[in-house]
Amino acid sequence: YNSLYQAMNVYMSKKMDIPTAQLNRFEIRQRLSASDVPNSLQEKWDSALGQCEIAAYTPTSLSDPQSLYDEVSNLIKKIDRIL
C-alpha cells in the first residue's frame, strides 16, 4: 500500500505540476476539479489515497492490494484521457 500511495503522489505531482512539498489530498482535489475531472473520478482517487493511508497504519488491510492497484491503474488511464 505504501508503494502504491507513493506512486499515486508522484503521478499527481508530475501530472498536475504540484511541488512535492505542497502535495496533499486537498490540493489534488482542487487541481483535478479545476481541470474538469469529473467529481466521481476525484472521489475515487481520494478514496484510494485514503485506503492506502489507512492500510499503512492498521494491521489489517481494507481490500485486496491487487484490486486497489487495478482500480488506481484504471483511474490513471481515465484521468490521462481528460488531462
Side-chain angles (χ1 to χ4, degrees):
Y1 290 99
N2 191 41
S3 296
L4 181 58
Y5 181 80
Q6 290 175 352
M8 291 175 72
N9 281 321
V10 167
Y11 168 79
M12 274 300 162
S13 177
K14 292 182 180 198
K15 192 71 175 179
M16 304 299 288
D17 195 30
I18 305 170
T20 306
Q22 296 176 4
L23 191 67
N24 59 58
R25 289 169 65 181
F26 178 76
E27 184 65 26
I28 291 170
R29 287 291 297 256
Q30 282 191 317
R31 298 281 183 107
L32 290 174
S33 181
S35 298
D36 295 326
V37 173
N39 197 43
S40 62
L41 293 179
Q42 294 175 44
E43 289 173 2
K44 288 178 183 177
W45 186 270
D46 191 58
S47 175
L49 279 175
Q51 288 180 50
C52 289
E53 289 174 348
I54 290 169
Y57 298 105
T58 57
T60 58
S61 61
L62 300 174
S63 66
D64 173 43
Q66 185 62 48
S67 66
L68 185 57
Y69 173 85
D70 293 341
E71 179 183 343
V72 170
S73 180
N74 287 330
L75 285 170
I76 288 173
K77 289 174 188 173
K78 290 176 182 178
I79 290 170
D80 274 344
R81 282 187 231 137
I82 295 167
L83 301 177

PDB file of all heavy atoms in Angstrom, residues 37-70:
ATOM      1  N   VAL A  37     -11.925  17.385 -14.223  1.00  0.00           N
ATOM      2  CA  VAL A  37     -12.013  15.943 -13.992  1.00  0.00           C
ATOM      3  C   VAL A  37     -13.323  15.704 -13.250  1.00  0.00           C
ATOM      4  O   VAL A  37     -13.600  16.378 -12.256  1.00  0.00           O
ATOM      5  CB  VAL A  37     -10.796  15.449 -13.178  1.00  0.00           C
ATOM      6  CG1 VAL A  37     -10.962  13.995 -12.777  1.00  0.00           C
ATOM      7  CG2 VAL A  37      -9.511  15.648 -13.964  1.00  0.00           C
ATOM      8  N   PRO A  38     -14.142  14.776 -13.731  1.00  0.00           N
ATOM      9  CA  PRO A  38     -15.442  14.542 -13.083  1.00  0.00           C
ATOM     10  C   PRO A  38     -15.311  14.244 -11.589  1.00  0.00           C
ATOM     11  O   PRO A  38     -14.345  13.604 -11.152  1.00  0.00           O
ATOM     12  CB  PRO A  38     -15.992  13.327 -13.831  1.00  0.00           C
ATOM     13  CG  PRO A  38     -15.309  13.340 -15.146  1.00  0.00           C
ATOM     14  CD  PRO A  38     -13.941  13.902 -14.887  1.00  0.00           C
ATOM     15  N   ASN A  39     -16.284  14.702 -10.852  1.00  0.00           N
ATOM     16  CA  ASN A  39     -16.285  14.530  -9.408  1.00  0.00           C
ATOM     17  C   ASN A  39     -16.177  13.060  -9.010  1.00  0.00           C
ATOM     18  O   ASN A  39     -15.534  12.723  -8.024  1.00  0.00           O
ATOM     19  CB  ASN A  39     -17.541  15.166  -8.807  1.00  0.00           C
ATOM     20  CG  ASN A  39     -17.412  15.383  -7.324  1.00  0.00           C
ATOM     21  OD1 ASN A  39     -16.374  15.833  -6.846  1.00  0.00           O
ATOM     22  ND2 ASN A  39     -18.459  15.061  -6.600  1.00  0.00           N
ATOM     23  N   SER A  40     -16.794  12.185  -9.775  1.00  0.00           N
ATOM     24  CA  SER A  40     -16.741  10.756  -9.447  1.00  0.00           C
ATOM     25  C   SER A  40     -15.302  10.229  -9.487  1.00  0.00           C
ATOM     26  O   SER A  40     -14.910   9.431  -8.631  1.00  0.00           O
ATOM     27  CB  SER A  40     -17.619   9.939 -10.395  1.00  0.00           C
ATOM     28  OG  SER A  40     -17.167  10.064 -11.736  1.00  0.00           O
ATOM     29  N   LEU A  41     -14.507  10.689 -10.453  1.00  0.00           N
ATOM     30  CA  LEU A  41     -13.098  10.272 -10.526  1.00  0.00           C
ATOM     31  C   LEU A  41     -12.288  10.895  -9.393  1.00  0.00           C
ATOM     32  O   LEU A  41     -11.406  10.248  -8.824  1.00  0.00           O
ATOM     33  CB  LEU A  41     -12.484  10.639 -11.871  1.00  0.00           C
ATOM     34  CG  LEU A  41     -13.021   9.908 -13.097  1.00  0.00           C
ATOM     35  CD1 LEU A  41     -12.322  10.402 -14.367  1.00  0.00           C
ATOM     36  CD2 LEU A  41     -12.871   8.412 -12.953  1.00  0.00           C
ATOM     37  N   GLN A  42     -12.615  12.144  -9.050  1.00  0.00           N
ATOM     38  CA  GLN A  42     -11.927  12.791  -7.934  1.00  0.00           C
ATOM     39  C   GLN A  42     -12.176  12.021  -6.646  1.00  0.00           C
ATOM     40  O   GLN A  42     -11.244  11.791  -5.865  1.00  0.00           O
ATOM     41  CB  GLN A  42     -12.434  14.224  -7.752  1.00  0.00           C
ATOM     42  CG  GLN A  42     -12.105  15.162  -8.881  1.00  0.00           C
ATOM     43  CD  GLN A  42     -12.736  16.510  -8.675  1.00  0.00           C
ATOM     44  OE1 GLN A  42     -12.710  17.054  -7.569  1.00  0.00           O
ATOM     45  NE2 GLN A  42     -13.317  17.079  -9.716  1.00  0.00           N
ATOM     46  N   GLU A  43     -13.416  11.623  -6.433  1.00  0.00           N
ATOM     47  CA  GLU A  43     -13.770  10.890  -5.217  1.00  0.00           C
ATOM     48  C   GLU A  43     -13.093   9.526  -5.169  1.00  0.00           C
ATOM     49  O   GLU A  43     -12.608   9.099  -4.115  1.00  0.00           O
ATOM     50  CB  GLU A  43     -15.288  10.735  -5.124  1.00  0.00           C
ATOM     51  CG  GLU A  43     -15.993  12.035  -4.813  1.00  0.00           C
ATOM     52  CD  GLU A  43     -17.504  11.932  -4.877  1.00  0.00           C
ATOM     53  OE1 GLU A  43     -18.034  10.829  -5.134  1.00  0.00           O
ATOM     54  OE2 GLU A  43     -18.166  12.972  -4.683  1.00  0.00           O
ATOM     55  N   LYS A  44     -13.034   8.845  -6.306  1.00  0.00           N
ATOM     56  CA  LYS A  44     -12.377   7.535  -6.348  1.00  0.00           C
ATOM     57  C   LYS A  44     -10.884   7.668  -6.062  1.00  0.00           C
ATOM     58  O   LYS A  44     -10.297   6.839  -5.377  1.00  0.00           O
ATOM     59  CB  LYS A  44     -12.614   6.861  -7.698  1.00  0.00           C
ATOM     60  CG  LYS A  44     -14.031   6.370  -7.870  1.00  0.00           C
ATOM     61  CD  LYS A  44     -14.247   5.758  -9.226  1.00  0.00           C
ATOM     62  CE  LYS A  44     -15.699   5.328  -9.398  1.00  0.00           C
ATOM     63  NZ  LYS A  44     -15.953   4.785 -10.732  1.00  0.00           N
ATOM     64  N   TRP A  45     -10.267   8.720  -6.620  1.00  0.00           N
ATOM     65  CA  TRP A  45      -8.835   8.945  -6.375  1.00  0.00           C
ATOM     66  C   TRP A  45      -8.587   9.210  -4.888  1.00  0.00           C
ATOM     67  O   TRP A  45      -7.709   8.628  -4.279  1.00  0.00           O
ATOM     68  CB  TRP A  45      -8.326  10.112  -7.220  1.00  0.00           C
ATOM     69  CG  TRP A  45      -6.844  10.291  -7.124  1.00  0.00           C
ATOM     70  CD1 TRP A  45      -6.161  11.064  -6.231  1.00  0.00           C
ATOM     71  CD2 TRP A  45      -5.861   9.653  -7.923  1.00  0.00           C
ATOM     72  NE1 TRP A  45      -4.824  10.957  -6.440  1.00  0.00           N
ATOM     73  CE2 TRP A  45      -4.597  10.089  -7.480  1.00  0.00           C
ATOM     74  CE3 TRP A  45      -5.920   8.765  -8.994  1.00  0.00           C
ATOM     75  CZ2 TRP A  45      -3.410   9.665  -8.055  1.00  0.00           C
ATOM     76  CZ3 TRP A  45      -4.740   8.343  -9.572  1.00  0.00           C
ATOM     77  CH2 TRP A  45      -3.504   8.789  -9.096  1.00  0.00           C
ATOM     78  N   ASP A  46      -9.398  10.085  -4.329  1.00  0.00           N
ATOM     79  CA  ASP A  46      -9.255  10.429  -2.916  1.00  0.00           C
ATOM     80  C   ASP A  46      -9.498   9.207  -2.033  1.00  0.00           C
ATOM     81  O   ASP A  46      -8.793   8.990  -1.049  1.00  0.00           O
ATOM     82  CB  ASP A  46     -10.223  11.560  -2.565  1.00  0.00           C
ATOM     83  CG  ASP A  46      -9.945  12.147  -1.194  1.00  0.00           C
ATOM     84  OD1 ASP A  46      -8.812  12.623  -0.967  1.00  0.00           O
ATOM     85  OD2 ASP A  46     -10.859  12.116  -0.354  1.00  0.00           O
ATOM     86  N   SER A  47     -10.482   8.404  -2.399  1.00  0.00           N
ATOM     87  CA  SER A  47     -10.775   7.186  -1.638  1.00  0.00           C
ATOM     88  C   SER A  47      -9.597   6.211  -1.691  1.00  0.00           C
ATOM     89  O   SER A  47      -9.240   5.618  -0.671  1.00  0.00           O
ATOM     90  CB  SER A  47     -12.035   6.520  -2.197  1.00  0.00           C
ATOM     91  OG  SER A  47     -12.263   5.291  -1.559  1.00  0.00           O
ATOM     92  N   ALA A  48      -9.000   6.057  -2.853  1.00  0.00           N
ATOM     93  CA  ALA A  48      -7.851   5.155  -2.985  1.00  0.00           C
ATOM     94  C   ALA A  48      -6.678   5.649  -2.143  1.00  0.00           C
ATOM     95  O   ALA A  48      -6.012   4.856  -1.466  1.00  0.00           O
ATOM     96  CB  ALA A  48      -7.452   5.018  -4.450  1.00  0.00           C
ATOM     97  N   LEU A  49      -6.437   6.959  -2.154  1.00  0.00           N
ATOM     98  CA  LEU A  49      -5.381   7.510  -1.298  1.00  0.00           C
ATOM     99  C   LEU A  49      -5.689   7.247   0.171  1.00  0.00           C
ATOM    100  O   LEU A  49      -4.806   6.860   0.942  1.00  0.00           O
ATOM    101  CB  LEU A  49      -5.234   9.024  -1.516  1.00  0.00           C
ATOM    102  CG  LEU A  49      -4.426   9.485  -2.714  1.00  0.00           C
ATOM    103  CD1 LEU A  49      -4.501  11.010  -2.840  1.00  0.00           C
ATOM    104  CD2 LEU A  49      -2.985   9.040  -2.632  1.00  0.00           C
ATOM    105  N   GLY A  50      -6.938   7.437   0.537  1.00  0.00           N
ATOM    106  CA  GLY A  50      -7.352   7.192   1.917  1.00  0.00           C
ATOM    107  C   GLY A  50      -7.164   5.740   2.322  1.00  0.00           C
ATOM    108  O   GLY A  50      -6.711   5.453   3.442  1.00  0.00           O
ATOM    109  N   GLN A  51      -7.496   4.820   1.435  1.00  0.00           N
ATOM    110  CA  GLN A  51      -7.316   3.401   1.727  1.00  0.00           C
ATOM    111  C   GLN A  51      -5.846   3.066   1.940  1.00  0.00           C
ATOM    112  O   GLN A  51      -5.496   2.291   2.837  1.00  0.00           O
ATOM    113  CB  GLN A  51      -7.880   2.544   0.598  1.00  0.00           C
ATOM    114  CG  GLN A  51      -9.390   2.544   0.547  1.00  0.00           C
ATOM    115  CD  GLN A  51      -9.904   1.685  -0.582  1.00  0.00           C
ATOM    116  OE1 GLN A  51      -9.501   0.545  -0.730  1.00  0.00           O
ATOM    117  NE2 GLN A  51     -10.801   2.245  -1.380  1.00  0.00           N
ATOM    118  N   CYS A  52      -4.989   3.664   1.124  1.00  0.00           N
ATOM    119  CA  CYS A  52      -3.540   3.443   1.287  1.00  0.00           C
ATOM    120  C   CYS A  52      -3.055   3.997   2.625  1.00  0.00           C
ATOM    121  O   CYS A  52      -2.252   3.365   3.312  1.00  0.00           O
ATOM    122  CB  CYS A  52      -2.767   4.100   0.148  1.00  0.00           C
ATOM    123  SG  CYS A  52      -2.953   3.290  -1.453  1.00  0.00           S
ATOM    124  N   GLU A  53      -3.541   5.180   2.995  1.00  0.00           N
ATOM    125  CA  GLU A  53      -3.145   5.781   4.266  1.00  0.00           C
ATOM    126  C   GLU A  53      -3.588   4.914   5.443  1.00  0.00           C
ATOM    127  O   GLU A  53      -2.817   4.681   6.372  1.00  0.00           O
ATOM    128  CB  GLU A  53      -3.727   7.185   4.401  1.00  0.00           C
ATOM    129  CG  GLU A  53      -3.079   8.199   3.488  1.00  0.00           C
ATOM    130  CD  GLU A  53      -3.767   9.555   3.520  1.00  0.00           C
ATOM    131  OE1 GLU A  53      -4.884   9.668   4.083  1.00  0.00           O
ATOM    132  OE2 GLU A  53      -3.204  10.500   2.953  1.00  0.00           O
ATOM    133  N   ILE A  54      -4.810   4.450   5.406  1.00  0.00           N
ATOM    134  CA  ILE A  54      -5.324   3.618   6.490  1.00  0.00           C
ATOM    135  C   ILE A  54      -4.553   2.307   6.578  1.00  0.00           C
ATOM    136  O   ILE A  54      -4.188   1.859   7.661  1.00  0.00           O
ATOM    137  CB  ILE A  54      -6.838   3.368   6.316  1.00  0.00           C
ATOM    138  CG1 ILE A  54      -7.604   4.671   6.561  1.00  0.00           C
ATOM    139  CG2 ILE A  54      -7.321   2.274   7.255  1.00  0.00           C
ATOM    140  CD1 ILE A  54      -9.066   4.614   6.176  1.00  0.00           C
ATOM    141  N   ALA A  55      -4.297   1.692   5.445  1.00  0.00           N
ATOM    142  CA  ALA A  55      -3.581   0.413   5.425  1.00  0.00           C
ATOM    143  C   ALA A  55      -2.173   0.541   5.995  1.00  0.00           C
ATOM    144  O   ALA A  55      -1.638  -0.408   6.571  1.00  0.00           O
ATOM    145  CB  ALA A  55      -3.529  -0.132   4.004  1.00  0.00           C
ATOM    146  N   ALA A  56      -1.589   1.714   5.859  1.00  0.00           N
ATOM    147  CA  ALA A  56      -0.231   1.921   6.379  1.00  0.00           C
ATOM    148  C   ALA A  56      -0.195   1.907   7.906  1.00  0.00           C
ATOM    149  O   ALA A  56       0.843   1.614   8.490  1.00  0.00           O
ATOM    150  CB  ALA A  56       0.331   3.245   5.867  1.00  0.00           C
ATOM    151  N   TYR A  57      -1.317   2.204   8.534  1.00  0.00           N
ATOM    152  CA  TYR A  57      -1.336   2.336   9.990  1.00  0.00           C
ATOM    153  C   TYR A  57      -2.193   1.305  10.711  1.00  0.00           C
ATOM    154  O   TYR A  57      -2.314   1.354  11.919  1.00  0.00           O
ATOM    155  CB  TYR A  57      -1.791   3.742  10.375  1.00  0.00           C
ATOM    156  CG  TYR A  57      -0.856   4.797   9.854  1.00  0.00           C
ATOM    157  CD1 TYR A  57      -1.193   5.585   8.771  1.00  0.00           C
ATOM    158  CD2 TYR A  57       0.396   4.974  10.425  1.00  0.00           C
ATOM    159  CE1 TYR A  57      -0.316   6.538   8.276  1.00  0.00           C
ATOM    160  CE2 TYR A  57       1.283   5.923   9.938  1.00  0.00           C
ATOM    161  CZ  TYR A  57       0.909   6.696   8.864  1.00  0.00           C
ATOM    162  OH  TYR A  57       1.776   7.631   8.377  1.00  0.00           O
ATOM    163  N   THR A  58      -2.805   0.394   9.971  1.00  0.00           N
ATOM    164  CA  THR A  58      -3.611  -0.639  10.606  1.00  0.00           C
ATOM    165  C   THR A  58      -3.078  -2.007  10.221  1.00  0.00           C
ATOM    166  O   THR A  58      -2.625  -2.201   9.092  1.00  0.00           O
ATOM    167  CB  THR A  58      -5.098  -0.537  10.189  1.00  0.00           C
ATOM    168  OG1 THR A  58      -5.187  -0.616   8.770  1.00  0.00           O
ATOM    169  CG2 THR A  58      -5.721   0.737  10.688  1.00  0.00           C
ATOM    170  N   PRO A  59      -3.141  -2.946  11.129  1.00  0.00           N
ATOM    171  CA  PRO A  59      -2.584  -4.266  10.846  1.00  0.00           C
ATOM    172  C   PRO A  59      -3.392  -5.068   9.818  1.00  0.00           C
ATOM    173  O   PRO A  59      -2.855  -5.918   9.140  1.00  0.00           O
ATOM    174  CB  PRO A  59      -2.597  -4.970  12.203  1.00  0.00           C
ATOM    175  CG  PRO A  59      -3.581  -4.235  13.021  1.00  0.00           C
ATOM    176  CD  PRO A  59      -3.623  -2.834  12.486  1.00  0.00           C
ATOM    177  N   THR A  60      -4.668  -4.775   9.676  1.00  0.00           N
ATOM    178  CA  THR A  60      -5.465  -5.493   8.691  1.00  0.00           C
ATOM    179  C   THR A  60      -5.713  -4.600   7.498  1.00  0.00           C
ATOM    180  O   THR A  60      -5.902  -3.393   7.624  1.00  0.00           O
ATOM    181  CB  THR A  60      -6.824  -5.916   9.284  1.00  0.00           C
ATOM    182  OG1 THR A  60      -7.515  -4.757   9.728  1.00  0.00           O
ATOM    183  CG2 THR A  60      -6.633  -6.882  10.437  1.00  0.00           C
ATOM    184  N   SER A  61      -5.683  -5.188   6.333  1.00  0.00           N
ATOM    185  CA  SER A  61      -5.899  -4.399   5.125  1.00  0.00           C
ATOM    186  C   SER A  61      -7.386  -4.242   4.859  1.00  0.00           C
ATOM    187  O   SER A  61      -8.198  -5.086   5.226  1.00  0.00           O
ATOM    188  CB  SER A  61      -5.207  -5.044   3.935  1.00  0.00           C
ATOM    189  OG  SER A  61      -5.739  -6.329   3.706  1.00  0.00           O
ATOM    190  N   LEU A  62      -7.732  -3.163   4.183  1.00  0.00           N
ATOM    191  CA  LEU A  62      -9.128  -2.871   3.888  1.00  0.00           C
ATOM    192  C   LEU A  62      -9.619  -3.626   2.665  1.00  0.00           C
ATOM    193  O   LEU A  62     -10.768  -3.973   2.563  1.00  0.00           O
ATOM    194  CB  LEU A  62      -9.304  -1.369   3.660  1.00  0.00           C
ATOM    195  CG  LEU A  62      -8.933  -0.480   4.826  1.00  0.00           C
ATOM    196  CD1 LEU A  62      -9.013   0.975   4.421  1.00  0.00           C
ATOM    197  CD2 LEU A  62      -9.865  -0.754   5.980  1.00  0.00           C
ATOM    198  N   SER A  63      -8.747  -3.813   1.716  1.00  0.00           N
ATOM    199  CA  SER A  63      -9.119  -4.513   0.493  1.00  0.00           C
ATOM    200  C   SER A  63      -7.899  -5.252  -0.036  1.00  0.00           C
ATOM    201  O   SER A  63      -6.792  -5.107   0.478  1.00  0.00           O
ATOM    202  CB  SER A  63      -9.639  -3.522  -0.550  1.00  0.00           C
ATOM    203  OG  SER A  63      -8.606  -2.657  -0.961  1.00  0.00           O
ATOM    204  N   ASP A  64      -8.132  -6.008  -1.047  1.00  0.00           N
ATOM    205  CA  ASP A  64      -7.056  -6.727  -1.693  1.00  0.00           C
ATOM    206  C   ASP A  64      -6.127  -5.721  -2.373  1.00  0.00           C
ATOM    207  O   ASP A  64      -6.588  -4.890  -3.160  1.00  0.00           O
ATOM    208  CB  ASP A  64      -7.662  -7.690  -2.712  1.00  0.00           C
ATOM    209  CG  ASP A  64      -6.626  -8.368  -3.568  1.00  0.00           C
ATOM    210  OD1 ASP A  64      -5.588  -8.792  -3.025  1.00  0.00           O
ATOM    211  OD2 ASP A  64      -6.863  -8.481  -4.787  1.00  0.00           O
ATOM    212  N   PRO A  65      -4.821  -5.777  -2.089  1.00  0.00           N
ATOM    213  CA  PRO A  65      -3.904  -4.815  -2.698  1.00  0.00           C
ATOM    214  C   PRO A  65      -3.954  -4.830  -4.233  1.00  0.00           C
ATOM    215  O   PRO A  65      -3.881  -3.783  -4.867  1.00  0.00           O
ATOM    216  CB  PRO A  65      -2.525  -5.239  -2.197  1.00  0.00           C
ATOM    217  CG  PRO A  65      -2.776  -6.041  -0.982  1.00  0.00           C
ATOM    218  CD  PRO A  65      -4.129  -6.667  -1.164  1.00  0.00           C
ATOM    219  N   GLN A  66      -4.121  -6.007  -4.815  1.00  0.00           N
ATOM    220  CA  GLN A  66      -4.167  -6.089  -6.275  1.00  0.00           C
ATOM    221  C   GLN A  66      -5.393  -5.381  -6.835  1.00  0.00           C
ATOM    222  O   GLN A  66      -5.301  -4.676  -7.839  1.00  0.00           O
ATOM    223  CB  GLN A  66      -4.152  -7.550  -6.742  1.00  0.00           C
ATOM    224  CG  GLN A  66      -4.085  -7.701  -8.261  1.00  0.00           C
ATOM    225  CD  GLN A  66      -2.828  -7.111  -8.870  1.00  0.00           C
ATOM    226  OE1 GLN A  66      -1.728  -7.361  -8.393  1.00  0.00           O
ATOM    227  NE2 GLN A  66      -2.972  -6.318  -9.916  1.00  0.00           N
ATOM    228  N   SER A  67      -6.537  -5.518  -6.174  1.00  0.00           N
ATOM    229  CA  SER A  67      -7.737  -4.844  -6.676  1.00  0.00           C
ATOM    230  C   SER A  67      -7.612  -3.331  -6.544  1.00  0.00           C
ATOM    231  O   SER A  67      -8.064  -2.594  -7.424  1.00  0.00           O
ATOM    232  CB  SER A  67      -8.997  -5.356  -5.983  1.00  0.00           C
ATOM    233  OG  SER A  67      -9.005  -5.014  -4.625  1.00  0.00           O
ATOM    234  N   LEU A  68      -6.988  -2.857  -5.477  1.00  0.00           N
ATOM    235  CA  LEU A  68      -6.770  -1.420  -5.326  1.00  0.00           C
ATOM    236  C   LEU A  68      -5.792  -0.924  -6.390  1.00  0.00           C
ATOM    237  O   LEU A  68      -6.001   0.123  -6.999  1.00  0.00           O
ATOM    238  CB  LEU A  68      -6.256  -1.085  -3.927  1.00  0.00           C
ATOM    239  CG  LEU A  68      -6.102   0.395  -3.610  1.00  0.00           C
ATOM    240  CD1 LEU A  68      -7.412   1.162  -3.802  1.00  0.00           C
ATOM    241  CD2 LEU A  68      -5.591   0.588  -2.182  1.00  0.00           C
ATOM    242  N   TYR A  69      -4.743  -1.697  -6.649  1.00  0.00           N
ATOM    243  CA  TYR A  69      -3.787  -1.348  -7.711  1.00  0.00           C
ATOM    244  C   TYR A  69      -4.505  -1.256  -9.057  1.00  0.00           C
ATOM    245  O   TYR A  69      -4.301  -0.303  -9.820  1.00  0.00           O
ATOM    246  CB  TYR A  69      -2.663  -2.382  -7.769  1.00  0.00           C
ATOM    247  CG  TYR A  69      -1.747  -2.184  -8.944  1.00  0.00           C
ATOM    248  CD1 TYR A  69      -0.687  -1.289  -8.873  1.00  0.00           C
ATOM    249  CD2 TYR A  69      -1.958  -2.868 -10.134  1.00  0.00           C
ATOM    250  CE1 TYR A  69       0.148  -1.081  -9.965  1.00  0.00           C
ATOM    251  CE2 TYR A  69      -1.133  -2.662 -11.225  1.00  0.00           C
ATOM    252  CZ  TYR A  69      -0.084  -1.779 -11.140  1.00  0.00           C
ATOM    253  OH  TYR A  69       0.731  -1.566 -12.222  1.00  0.00           O
ATOM    254  N   ASP A  70      -5.350  -2.247  -9.360  1.00  0.00           N
ATOM    255  CA  ASP A  70      -6.089  -2.249 -10.627  1.00  0.00           C
ATOM    256  C   ASP A  70      -7.012  -1.039 -10.723  1.00  0.00           C
ATOM    257  O   ASP A  70      -7.121  -0.414 -11.781  1.00  0.00           O
ATOM    258  CB  ASP A  70      -6.902  -3.538 -10.773  1.00  0.00           C
ATOM    259  CG  ASP A  70      -6.024  -4.771 -10.936  1.00  0.00           C
ATOM    260  OD1 ASP A  70      -4.828  -4.638 -11.291  1.00  0.00           O
ATOM    261  OD2 ASP A  70      -6.536  -5.890 -10.693  1.00  0.00           O
TER     262      ASP A  70
END
